[in-house]
Amino acid sequence: MKLADKDFELFRDYIYNLCGIYFHASKKYFLESRLARRMEETGITSHADYYKLLKGGAGGAQELKRLLDEVTTNETCFFRNVPQLTALENKLLPELVEVKGKIGFRKLRIWSAGSSSGEEAYTMAMILLEKRQTLLKDWIIEIVGTDINETVLAMAREGVYNSYSVRNTPEFFRKKYFKQESTEKFILSPDVKKLVTFTHLNLYDDTKMIFMKSFDFIFCANVLIYFDTASKSKVVQHFYNNLQPYGYFFVGQSESLHGVNDSFKTIHFPGGFAYKK
Amino acid sequence: MDTNVKLKKAQEMVEKISDLPTIPIVASKVLELLDKPDVELEEVADMILTDQVLAARVIKIVNSPLYRSSQEIKSVKRALVYLGFRHIRELALTCSFIEAFQGKDGAFDVMTFWEHSFGVGIVAKIIAQRARYIDTEKAYLAGIIHDIGEVFLSYYYQKDFQRILQEIKSTPYKLVDAEDRFWGTNHSYIGVAIAQKWNFPPEYCEVIADHHEPELATIDPNLVAIVNLADLFCSVRQLDYGGREWVSFNLAEEKAWDILKKFAPHMAKLDVERFCYELDDRVPEVQDLVKSIFEGMVME
């Protein structure tokens, strides 16, 4: 069913206000097709009725989670957020290395929170490995990936991916850091795997969260969208506390922390932004 | 560096160019008409109509994407009524400037330049609306012309400009700072030197001169702040001259943001993230507008 512009705006605003993820106009057809799936599943025949269900019907919160799953699944891949990675590589990382280098603290700590099957953490590992002989010579690099789901953690530790996961990976990195066994099987190099540790963590678990200390870069893409505002604020406050004073916190490509945390400052760069203490 | 020194240097660089474009004849007649105390709108419209290219541009600029929701304006006369008498002068000058630099691709192509410029115009208008700045049309036009110095440098000082662009490529260096270092002046001062030669009204000259230093503005600091912020947002949201410079900013540290918040305290609550995402959605509209302004107008 065709999603009218007016209805698109309705869904877009509702999802944004509740979850902090923005649907660009260019994603209208994508949203339309995912809505169609959910409507078929729930037996609802009009967008208006489905909207009513999300907004306050019985099981609305559950249904919203399912819709979010539909619109964010399969989004994970290597080199996913290019503007973010470019900014990090060309500006944020060199600045950080300069500051830390001056005080003689040659250690870099990175956290991929909600790491899923490890693509984000490993992307960072590859980018940093490329700087091993130059900017990061003699630096200690620690990358941590955490997730609540043991199945995806096992996949991350295994480090075997399909063509869909590497679809955005530049040729240079694909050749250098993957062994391609078949059209659908890409095995990640042990050099990259060595750099990352994956552990189980529930972001709600305060007793564990306070031990995730002193990170320079924290990534948390498409995870907070599932939390209600109060939990979101609590989790983001943990990220804030665990971030180094000169570090950066990144969310997903169309996410927003507006109204969640007033302490962070938003730093804009071409194609995106990051949060800083 | 002293602003007077920079302005003098800019004036010298502009004077050096012997074939600097002048205002097209019809546009200058329009400007003459506007100086008459008892001029009728009809008269101005008729004069504009004697130049089909000018007439078409006037209509297209006035019909920018922001207005489409209401009714499309199809005649020059209605365009002038919509815009109001007080803005015809700037509109004529803006059209003249577009005409004068048409096809003059230099270090970058003119279309990319106007995409950024019209982007800044439209975003300036949006900010003006949100801040409840009274004259949103002024914000739009001021946004369009804020960078005219850049198109001059790109064309008349092409080789030097190319070198600068090469130097700052993939480094976090602002173009305006690189220009200062290379020439001892920058596109803001060049722009105002040209704008004064062309007799742009003083508020517009001030926007051109101070859009990178809004704290220097005295005539209309709020207008300068609006254009400065629009420029920053466009530079990080795909209306960035094709990524020729690497801009990064934190609103909390921007002087223009302070100026605007003093003028419109409710702006402090702006959802900046959402604002950026909405701008992304507008990029195709801006590109279409610029294309339409140039369509079928390639000089023979």
Side-chain angles (χ1 to χ4, degrees), chain A residues 61-130:
Chain A
Q62 274 303 324
E63 183 52 36
L64 180 65
K65 279 211 169 77
R66 284 192 203 106
L67 176 64
L68 285 177
D69 275 338
E70 284 282 358
V71 295
T72 57
T73 44
N74 294 327
E75 287 252 316
T76 322
C77 69
F78 290 95
F79 292 88
R80 175 159 167 229
N81 194 335
V82 174
Q84 204 170 75
L85 294 171
T86 309
L88 190 138
E89 196 181 343
N90 294 340
K91 170 123 182 190
L92 312 181
L93 179 68
E95 277 177 7
L96 192 119
V97 163
E98 203 191 323
V99 176
K100 284 191 119 174
K102 264 188 199 150
I103 53 169
F105 190 52
R106 296 169 163 265
K107 185 175 174 181
L108 205 59
R109 267 168 67 77
I110 294 164
W111 178 10
S112 168
S115 61
S116 185
S117 34
E119 288 87 339
E120 183 177 70
Y122 285 140
T123 299
M124 280 312 298
M126 286 187 263
I127 288 174
L128 299 180
L129 271 175
E130 283 303 306

Side-chain angles (χ1 to χ4, degrees), chain B residues 53 57 60 97-99 101-104 110-115 118 287-299:
Chain B
V53 174
R57 281 213 176 104
K60 275 173 181 154
F97 200 85
I98 293 173
E99 178 79 32
F101 279 90
Q102 169 126 25
K104 290 196 169 139
V110 172
M111 286 289 262
T112 329
F113 168 78
W114 288 116
E115 271 176 19
F118 276 86
Q287 285 165 340
D288 284 350
L289 170 69
V290 171
K291 221 186 278 159
S292 84
I293 285 169
F294 286 93
E295 232 161 48
M297 294 188 185
V298 180
M299 283 193 297

Side-chain angles (χ1 to χ4, degrees), chain B residues 7-283:
Chain B
L7 184 59
K8 209 164 157 264
K9 172 78 195 167
Q11 280 160 341
E12 282 166 22
M13 282 173 72
V14 173
E15 289 306 327
K16 246 192 222 159
I17 304 302
S18 52
D19 63 336
L20 188 72
T22 49
I23 300 170
I25 190 121
V26 171
S28 66
K29 278 188 188 157
V30 169
L31 296 173
E32 260 172 51
L33 270 181
L34 290 170
D35 284 334
K36 284 199 336 201
D38 54 348
V39 64
E40 298 279 334
L41 197 103
E42 199 99 12
E43 247 181 297
V44 181
D46 285 345
M47 180 60 78
I48 289 175
L49 277 168
T50 63
D51 181 339
Q52 284 304 313
V53 174
L54 178 64
R57 281 213 176 104
V58 163
I59 291 172
K60 275 173 181 154
I61 292 177
V62 174
N63 276 306
S64 82
L66 283 179
Y67 312 93
R68 260 183 217 148
S69 52
S70 49
Q71 229 182 0
E72 201 187 329
I73 292 163
K74 289 190 178 133
S75 77
V76 169
K77 199 179 151 197
R78 282 214 41 215
L80 299 189
V81 172
Y82 177 85
L83 207 64
F85 239 113
R86 57 182 182 201
H87 293 307
I88 299 175
R89 180 179 301 275
E90 303 87 277
L91 184 64
L93 285 165
T94 304
C95 289
S96 302
F97 200 85
I98 293 173
E99 178 79 32
F101 279 90
Q102 169 126 25
K104 290 196 169 139
D105 292 339
F108 49 77
D109 66 278
V110 172
M111 286 289 262
T112 329
F113 168 78
W114 288 116
E115 271 176 19
H116 171 71
S117 299
F118 276 86
V120 173
I122 287 168
V123 177
K125 177 159 173 155
I126 297 171
I127 297 174
Q129 280 167 342
R130 301 235 177 145
R132 297 176 204 135
Y133 175 83
I134 189 144
D135 195 342
T136 54
E137 294 314 306
K138 191 190 249 179
Y140 176 52
L141 290 164
I144 296 173
I145 52 118
H146 78 285
D147 251 357
I148 57 171
E150 213 76 278
V151 72
F152 171 90
L153 286 172
S154 154
Y155 183 70
Y156 289 105
Y157 289 84
Q158 188 169 344
K159 274 202 182 126
D160 290 346
F161 204 88
Q162 206 89 46
R163 249 179 76 185
I164 293 176
L165 289 177
Q166 201 56 41
E167 259 176 45
I168 63 167
K169 205 175 171 187
S170 68
T171 61
Y173 213 91
K174 275 195 177 174
L175 189 55
V176 58
D177 297 333
E179 290 166 2
D180 270 336
R181 210 181 37 178
F182 191 89
W183 283 304
T185 190
N186 64 54
H187 67 273
S188 314
Y189 294 90
I190 294 280
V192 80
I194 299 167
Q196 280 166 349
K197 263 178 109 71
W198 276 40
N199 285 322
F200 268 93
E203 311 95 285
Y204 292 82
C205 289
E206 184 177 68
V207 168
I208 296 168
D210 295 340
H211 71 273
H212 284 294
E213 300 164 290
E215 69 279 12
L216 299 181
T218 53
I219 306 170
D220 193 347
N222 298 329
L223 179 67
V224 179
I226 286 170
V227 173
N228 170 282
L229 293 169
D231 189 20
L232 286 175
F233 280 117
C234 284
S235 303
V236 294
R237 302 315 298 187
Q238 299 163 60
L239 291 164
D240 56 353
Y241 279 86
R244 276 167 184 80
E245 63 174 335
W246 208 92
V247 174
S248 162
F249 68 93
N250 168 6
L251 267 193
E253 287 167 8
E254 291 300 326
K255 289 178 180 121
W257 188 236
D258 281 342
I259 296 169
L260 195 69
K261 277 192 301 186
K262 257 184 215 125
F263 165 72
H266 66 277
M267 290 299 279
K269 288 201 197 109
L270 178 76
D271 180 347
V272 178
E273 287 102 322
R274 180 168 179 147
F275 186 73
C276 284
Y277 293 141
E278 285 173 357
L279 292 189
D280 294 343
D281 284 350
R282 286 196 173 266
V283 172

Side-chain angles (χ1 to χ4, degrees), chain A residues 16 255-258 266 273 275, chain B residues 271-277:
Chain A
Y16 181 80
E255 276 187 79
S256 158
L257 281 191
H258 182 76
T266 314
F273 36 77
Y275 299 96
Chain B
D271 180 347
V272 178
E273 287 102 322
R274 180 168 179 147
F275 186 73
C276 284
Y277 293 141

